[in-house]
Amino acid sequence: MESLELVVVIGTTILTMGWLARRTGISEPLLLLAAGGLIGLIPAFDSISLEPEVVLLLFLPALLYWEALTSSVREIYSNLRSIALQSTGLVIATAATVALAAHTLGYDWPIAFVLGAVLAPTDAAAVAAVATAMPRRILTVLRTESLLNDGTALVLLAVTIEVATDGQPFSWGRTIIDFTESYAGGIVVGAAVAVVLLTVRRRLPDALLHSVLSVATPFVAFLPAELLHVSGVLAVVTCGLITTRIGPRVISPQARIQAVAFWQVASHLLNSALFLLVGLQLPAACRALSSVSLLQAAAAAVLISVVVFGTRVLWFYTMPYVIRLLDRRPGQRARRIAAAQRLPLAWAGMRGAISLAAALTIPAVTADGRIVQQRDAVVFITVVVIVVSLALMGPMLPATVRRARYPADVDPAKELALAHQHLGASALAALPGLAAQHHVDEDSAGRIAQHISEQAGWSANAEAVGNRQSLELDLLTVKRQALAELRDRGQIDDIVLRRVQEYLDVEELRLSRKATFEHIVEV
């Protein structure tokens, strides 16, 4: 019964905080964190803990897969060097500086490095929730970094936990081998799963089965990678990127509409639930403190927060200059951005539930039965750093974006216009032959050609086009009302209503997207 109560509370809170965020303009993740903290104070929920296996085996694959599906492979390839440096070098640099700060505060080196590995990665859900209104290139770098750095951090965490709990000596050679095996193995597994599942998709008979397979895909990719002790993160991301690239030639439109609708809702629910559960852990982390006082732990958490974000800022204001000294090719010079435009990249270093799950995976006892000292402090510090990053860094990110004054990102609109024009030209060229093949008369083919031309060229009289679309949208409203009246009078049943309503919904979606595209082109 407690599980059902928790589900109801989480669902109700997500809905309420989402509504409140849209009414007030306050960051939704921040509201969910605060709500989770308040719920954690209620006696009925004070014993609920966030199981790391739930985050790492349920939440993480699903969220990574959706982020990969909505990423641009071309943009990732264009920015691969920056992404690779941030998802590996910055993770290691952050882990090292955090470990040094923690050791200075009195923590033993092994547990200090564990804390560094826990706090090293940014969180895909947290970054996606606040990193908006940026140019496509900047967003791609941030999103892909947050996808890949989890893999680096989890390998680093496994190595540091072995040192802290099993007494294994640290070895750079073994660590590098572990990284290489984990990355290469994850990519191979993800690619193999993608090829197999895309082959299966070609033979699936209907859209519903496609949707079921889409839901299962991230877990089908993640599980074998983990069983083989390679990066499940890289496996899911690789599988998602390959599906994004090849999927349009394999997946039917109906299956795509269903899958996208599902993943949009599911990713929002999973992201929101994670923010809420992180907030829920703050009171529990305070109560669990025993190795140090609350004041000492809070002071350490504030200092570690400064180190985490200071390291990121320092990275983005030193590494680009090192790269400039080493790479002076004209093409690379054209890609440079000003110092002010790097600030949003440096600022978007939010931590999230992945770090908390990593902290909770730290064993309570060592291999020889001794209690792992200061584990409780590590969990507390992790929760505080997450809260600080979402409460302070997140709300301030839009201001840093405005101050950066990025040039207008016109490329997506140009590419969208080019796509419509090319599709229209291709369709007009094929129309005569197809019309003859399907025995369509010239008048009907002429009307189709006119419609294609309007879609491809977008009539010069934009106001007239907009008026016609407004009229068509209003007529759809009239049709819906008439449909409901028929049902209310008992002349049609609910099944017929839903079938007709589905057609009206698709038509409205088409008109709305067409109006949005024309607005983009005009801008």
Side-chain angles (χ1 to χ4, degrees), residues 21-284:
R22 286 153 181 79
R23 292 280 294 183
T24 62
I26 300 174
S27 169
E28 188 171 350
L30 185 57
L31 289 173
L32 289 166
L33 278 176
L38 293 175
I39 293 172
L41 296 174
I42 301 173
F45 298 102
D46 60 3
S47 60
I48 294 174
S49 61
L50 180 63
E51 295 297 329
E53 292 81 7
V54 173
V55 176
L56 298 177
L57 300 180
L58 176 62
F59 285 80
L60 183 61
L63 292 174
L64 291 176
Y65 185 64
W66 173 242
E67 287 294 319
L69 285 180
T70 54
S71 298
S72 167
V73 177
R74 187 193 70 180
E75 290 298 310
I76 291 174
Y77 181 77
S78 298
N79 298 280
L80 188 58
R81 183 173 62 187
S82 296
I83 293 168
L85 285 172
Q86 289 163 219
S87 60
T88 55
L90 180 54
V91 169
I92 295 171
T94 303
T97 55
V98 168
L100 178 61
H103 183 67
T104 303
L105 292 172
Y107 292 76
D108 295 335
W109 275 117
I111 200 67
F113 272 107
V114 169
L115 177 60
V118 164
L119 293 175
T122 57
D123 187 82
V127 171
V130 297
T132 57
M134 295 181 184
R136 179 173 56 181
R137 177 188 172 192
I138 305 299
L139 275 175
T140 298
V141 171
L142 284 175
R143 291 178 62 191
T144 312
E145 174 204 354
S146 66
L147 289 177
L148 300 180
N149 60 17
D150 291 337
T152 305
L154 290 177
V155 173
L156 189 61
L157 178 66
V159 172
T160 55
I161 285 180
E162 283 185 3
V163 174
T165 61
D166 297 342
Q168 301 261 351
F170 179 79
S171 168
W172 275 111
R174 183 170 60 87
T175 302
I176 292 173
I177 292 174
D178 288 344
F179 272 117
T180 304
E181 290 179 349
S182 180
Y183 266 68
I187 292 172
V188 170
V189 170
V193 170
V195 170
V196 171
L197 294 187
L198 286 170
T199 303
V200 172
R201 281 180 180 271
R202 293 180 187 273
R203 293 166 172 78
L204 287 181
D206 60 57
L208 184 59
L209 293 179
H210 273 277
S211 298
V212 172
L213 183 56
S214 177
V215 175
T217 295
F219 308 102
V220 172
F222 190 86
L223 183 58
E226 290 296 307
L227 292 176
L228 293 172
H229 303 291
V230 297
S231 177
V233 170
L234 266 294
V236 173
V237 172
T238 302
C239 183
L241 293 176
I242 293 175
T243 303
T244 297
R245 197 71 178 177
I246 304 176
R249 292 185 174 87
V250 176
I251 303 171
S252 68
Q254 185 180 357
R256 198 158 42 243
I257 290 172
Q258 286 184 353
V260 169
F262 166 81
W263 281 112
Q264 286 176 334
V265 175
S267 64
H268 176 72
L269 287 174
L270 292 174
N271 282 335
S272 300
L274 281 177
F275 291 129
L276 188 64
L277 290 170
V278 169
L280 189 66
Q281 297 306 300
L282 184 56

Side-chain angles (χ1 to χ4, degrees), residues 403-426:
R403 185 177 178 184
R405 296 181 180 178
Y406 290 112
D409 198 8
V410 297
D411 288 343
K414 286 182 178 179
E415 292 174 13
L416 192 58
L418 175 63
H420 275 280
Q421 291 165 5
H422 179 70
L423 293 178
S426 300

Side-chain angles (χ1 to χ4, degrees), residues 428 431 443-459 468 514:
L428 288 172
L431 180 59
D443 289 342
S444 298
R447 287 193 294 271
I448 293 173
Q450 182 180 358
H451 180 63
I452 292 172
S453 297
E454 289 178 356
Q455 285 184 317
W458 304 106
S459 173
R468 187 174 70 245
K514 182 177 179 180

